[in-house]
Amino acid sequence: MIRTFIKFLPVSILLATLAACGGGGGGGDGGDTNPNPPPDTGWQPGVFLDESTYALRCATPGNSINIFADGCPSVQDVQGTVLDENNFLRSFSNRTYLWYDEIVDRDPSLYADPLEYFDLLKTTALSPTGAPKDKFHFTQDSQAYCQLAQGGVSAGYGATWSIIAASPPRQIIVAYTEPNTPATANGILRGAEILEVDGVAVVDGSADALNAGLFPSELGESHTFTVLDPGSAVPRLVTMSSQEITLAMVQNTQVINTPTGDVGYMTFNLHRAPAEQELIEAINTLQGVDDLVLDIRYNRGGFLAIASQVAYMIAGDATLGRTFETLQFNDKYPITDPITGRPIEPVPFYDETLGFSVPAGQPLPTLNLSRVFVLTGSNTASASEAIMNGLRGIGVELIQIGATTRGKPYGWYAQENCGTTYSTIQFRGVNDANYGDYTDGFTPSAVDDGEANVLGCQVADDLSQQLGNPAENRLEVALAYQAGQGCITPAGVASGDVAGKARIELNTTDGYIHRSFFDSNRILGRP
């Protein structure tokens, strides 16, 4: 199995005061005992040797792995220095970074930690809204990356937390749950509020203690939660033990019968390998619908090839002969891929299985729709945004219901060196209409301008109703729009009904959904 990975970065925030996630590697200067050391050129501004000169010369050797191979086997590295690792990053960034000419060339010998040096190898420019132009520059321990990239299983309770406020006064609500997990066994539903974790108050307690309970690092950890159920005024205690959770990529698939036609609905949460089979099953269930509501409000990314499959299964014949996405690298590489050396080839709309979780080569089902309603939020990103951009590029009418998406049109190949996996922006992805500049996200708007403004309605997340319930704000507005009523005010918002909750109107707020690095990225690859 050979996989090529390209990633988009999540903004990793859990609760305030949580230390930032980082990669491994680094370490002291162990000296260079290799019989064939790289030339000692010293630092010459603007002069760069090829990164292969310094690759796998590690201050602490023995940690390098092949993150692209099954099982992530070890890779032979040799004794090197921190300076070797820094020089590798400097040369690699200069050759492949999308905005390489905006990097300040700093003397690599002045930095004792490759992670610190890598953090400086990026642009400091801002986007049109004043946000950092490069929001997606990060590192990760290579073993941790390997585990995420190759698994469909994670440790936890089966509850996905929506962090309404990460700083005191904090608030955490359950966004949704996975079937057959400790969360569902204890009757926890979307909309339940977590008041305490192991006796520590969420609102103002220790962030370290809260994170330890909410995001367990080991299997079999037992933690107690004080939970306020939807519609209840009386909290209850729930004790759950962390276990391996098999995640459902697709949930709540159904056909909603309306006077204006049958409307299909499905919640699509993750672009991991098992999604291939689950999406096929969902599309087969929805055959014959007049419209589709694709709920990707919590989908932060994953395999780009699966995003292409989703777009094909929606649009069908309209994708024939068209391009889903094309990668554009820096001006040093207008024709060839700087990492693989191969000619840049467009990503097609895949119309058959690719072998992720179904044997390759089988034709995919399709709904052959010319219009799709997409439910989005601030957690919609990367591969999910690619679905939207790819469909719009071939003229499929997209109606966006929800909030502005995250904005991740840029990506990169994850690069392993000395036990750390580095991710630095190397390309942008453009659709068949050559558009891909949605760095500040797609926004529901009164008019579709073919760019970042998409026809649709601004509607906040509705944690007071279960996903797939026609009374849930975003789905309610989508169904009303499908019926010709335009952007209505949801009934719950108009009535002020907040499901009996104090301190938060659950039908007027969006929260932050934490995902792993793998599930928050755009990954180019196929088995």
Side-chain angles (χ1 to χ4, degrees):
M1 303 277 282
I2 298 176
R3 298 188 179 95
T4 303
F5 294 91
I6 295 182
K7 303 188 65 183
F8 276 68
L9 169 73
V11 178
S12 185
I13 57 170
L14 304 186
L15 299 180
T17 76
L18 176 64
C21 295
D29 186 337
D32 191 346
T33 60
N34 189 275
N36 297 302
D40 184 12
T41 59
W43 176 59
Q44 300 179 51
V47 178
F48 301 86
L49 298 180
D50 189 271
E51 69 262 22
S52 62
T53 308
Y54 308 102
L56 298 175
R57 304 186 62 84
C58 309
T60 306
N63 297 316
S64 301
I65 63 174
N66 183 349
I67 58 175
F68 306 128
D70 283 347
C72 297
S74 298
V75 172
Q76 179 63 51
D77 52 23
V78 298
Q79 183 68 59
T81 67
V82 167
L83 181 57
D84 290 335
E85 294 187 37
N86 288 349
N87 272 318
F88 171 83
L89 296 171
R90 175 175 176 263
S91 294
F92 179 73
S93 299
N94 177 71
R95 187 175 71 85
T96 69
Y97 188 58
L98 184 61
W99 305 293
Y100 67 94
D101 53 351
E102 297 179 27
I103 297 175
V104 176
D105 189 11
R106 296 176 171 88
D107 184 349
S109 69
L110 300 179
Y111 299 88
D113 185 351
L115 303 188
E116 178 188 0
Y117 187 61
F118 179 74
D119 284 344
L120 300 173
L121 297 175
K122 64 179 180 179
T123 181
T124 58
L126 303 178
S127 75
T129 63
K133 182 177 178 180
D134 185 348
K135 300 176 288 188
F136 315 121
H137 193 79
F138 76 105
T139 63
Q140 187 176 16
D141 176 82
S142 294
Q143 287 289 351
Y145 175 87
C146 171
Q147 293 171 9
L148 289 170
Q150 300 201 20
V153 175
S154 62
Y157 313 106
T160 294
W161 317 115
S162 178
I163 301 175
I164 307 301
S167 300
R170 303 187 192 93
Q171 190 161 33
I172 300 172
I173 309 294
V174 176
Y176 67 92
T177 59
E178 303 290 345
N180 304 313
T181 60
T184 54
N186 282 279
I188 295 177
L189 299 173
R190 168 178 168 85
E193 182 173 4
I194 306 302
L195 302 178
E196 294 181 346
V197 179
D198 295 328
V200 177
V202 167
V203 64
D204 58 3
S206 163
D208 289 341
L210 295 172
N211 284 320
L214 291 167
F215 306 100
S217 58
E218 304 289 342
L219 298 176
E221 292 186 21
S222 181
H223 296 276
T224 300
F225 302 84
T226 302
V227 178
L228 184 62
D229 292 314
S232 175
V234 180
R236 64 186 176 102
L237 290 179
V238 172
T239 298
M240 295 187 289
S241 294
S242 59
Q243 65 180 46
E244 288 189 351
I245 303 297
T246 300
L247 304 174
M249 312 291 117
V250 180
Q251 294 193 44
N252 308 312
T253 303
Q254 61 181 303
V255 176
I256 303 171
N257 304 118
T258 77
T260 50
D262 290 340
V263 179
Y265 170 89
M266 63 178 180
T267 310
F268 178 34
N269 288 328
L270 298 159
H271 283 80
R272 290 191 186 186
E276 184 177 49
Q277 179 175 356
E278 294 182 31
L279 287 163
I280 291 171
E281 294 171 353
I283 295 299
N284 281 331
T285 298
L286 300 177
Q287 288 297 311
V289 297
D290 301 291
D291 275 295
L292 174 68
V293 177
L294 178 66
D295 193 340
I296 51 176
R297 73 184 77 188
Y298 300 137
N299 194 323
R300 296 178 71 97
F303 284 111
L304 186 65
I306 289 177
S308 171
Q309 290 177 314
V310 172
Y312 169 76
M313 286 190 278
I314 291 170
D317 293 343
T319 67
L320 297 177
R322 309 296 291 273
T323 294
F324 178 68
E325 182 165 289
T326 300
L327 307 186
Q328 296 181 343
F329 295 86
N330 67 37
D331 58 14
K332 297 178 183 180
Y333 296 93
I335 300 174
T336 59
D337 183 316
I339 305 300
T340 67
R342 295 191 293 265
I344 297 171
E345 296 182 354
V347 178
F349 286 88
Y350 290 116
D351 61 0
E352 61 181 23
T353 57
L354 300 176
F356 284 109
S357 53
V358 177
Q362 300 178 15
L364 292 173
T366 178
L367 300 177
N368 270 316
L369 297 174
S370 59
R371 178 176 73 173
V372 60
F373 293 83
V374 181
L375 307 188
T376 67
S378 57
N379 295 286
T380 305
S382 299
S384 290
E385 290 173 310
I387 296 173
M388 299 172 64
N389 200 44
L391 288 172
R392 293 176 78 220
I394 61 171
V396 171
E397 184 181 10
L398 199 73
I399 310 298
Q400 182 182 357
I401 309 295
T404 300
T405 64
R406 178 73 179 88
K408 294 184 182 178
Y410 307 116
W412 55 85
Y413 289 88
Q415 175 64 50
E416 206 286 337
N417 192 59
C418 298
T420 298
T421 296
Y422 297 92
S423 297
T424 189
I425 291 176
Q426 295 164 334
F427 71 89
R428 70 169 185 164
V430 299
N431 63 18
D432 198 66
N434 200 40
Y435 178 70
D437 288 327
Y438 48 93
T439 186
D440 290 314
F442 289 116
T443 299
S445 307
V447 177
D448 190 325
D449 63 4
E451 297 184 351
N453 293 315
V454 182
L455 184 65
C457 314
Q458 291 270 1
V459 183
D461 200 1
D462 181 4
L463 291 161
S464 69
Q465 301 293 334
Q466 301 304 301
L467 295 174
N469 185 337
E472 188 274 320
N473 286 355
R474 286 175 174 162
L475 181 52
E476 179 187 354
V477 173
L479 294 173
Y481 201 109
Q482 188 270 349
Q485 300 174 36
C487 295
I488 67 166
T489 299
V493 173
S495 68
D497 177 12
V498 294
K501 293 295 183 70
R503 301 199 306 111
I504 180 174
E505 293 186 355
L506 293 184
N507 54 15
T508 59
T509 196
D510 275 61
Y512 175 82
I513 304 296
H514 172 67
R515 294 290 196 206
S516 69
F517 285 107
F518 184 84
D519 294 319
S520 300
N521 301 318
R522 189 191 202 112
I523 304 162
L524 183 66
R526 52 186 293 182

